[in-house]
Amino acid sequence: MSTARWIDAIMGVLFIAFGVWGLFPAAAGMVLGVFPVTVPMGSLAILAGAVLLSGIVSTSTAKTVAGSVGIILALVGAVSLFSDLFGLVPSSGWNSGLLLGSAALLLYDWLGTPDDASTVGRTPVR
């Protein structure tokens, strides 16, 4: 399995876990006691995780999905630095950092990972 598919799988599981955890009443709107979560943000995290998991069918799909989700997370993270985005993302430097960090990893997945893990480190045959 390629690096892009691994990153999508891990990030997808983490986003789903983050979203589900934030929706439980016992969490009191906080994940790990640091990240404030609202119902729309938890729902969007679950949706983003599901989209990322759907991208692991092939390397090209994984890279496309990672780029799309990464751009959306970067935009939401940048906007959340200045406002709460109509109550969607609670104002918190931790949430902005989480969104921008996740976006950076997904954009690296889109632009920086090799297309096929079997060709990494091999010289082309002439």
Side-chain angles (χ1 to χ4, degrees):
M1 197 157 83
S2 68
T3 305
R5 292 168 69 185
W6 274 109
I7 292 173
D8 277 13
I10 292 168
M11 292 294 291
V13 168
L14 289 175
F15 267 99
I16 289 174
F18 180 83
V20 168
W21 191 358
L23 294 178
F24 279 114
M30 298 289 280
V31 172
L32 297 174
V34 177
F35 302 106
V37 179
T38 61
V39 172
M41 184 177 176
S43 302
L44 286 176
I46 293 170
L47 179 65
V51 170
L52 285 169
L53 285 177
S54 72
I56 64 172
V57 294
S58 72
T59 302
S60 62
T61 305
K63 291 175 80 107
T64 303
V65 166
S68 303
V69 173
I71 289 171
I72 292 168
L73 289 179
L75 291 173
V76 171
V79 170
S80 73
L81 287 171
F82 305 107
S83 74
D84 67 349
L85 200 61
F86 307 110
L88 180 63
V89 180
S91 295
S92 166
W94 290 104
N95 278 348
S96 299
L98 178 69
L99 290 169
L100 292 173
S102 299
L105 180 62
L106 290 171
L107 292 175
Y108 163 75
D109 184 9
W110 178 39
L111 299 172
T113 56
D115 286 337
D116 186 9
S118 65
T119 62
V120 175
R122 294 186 182 175
T123 57
V125 177
R126 296 177 194 223

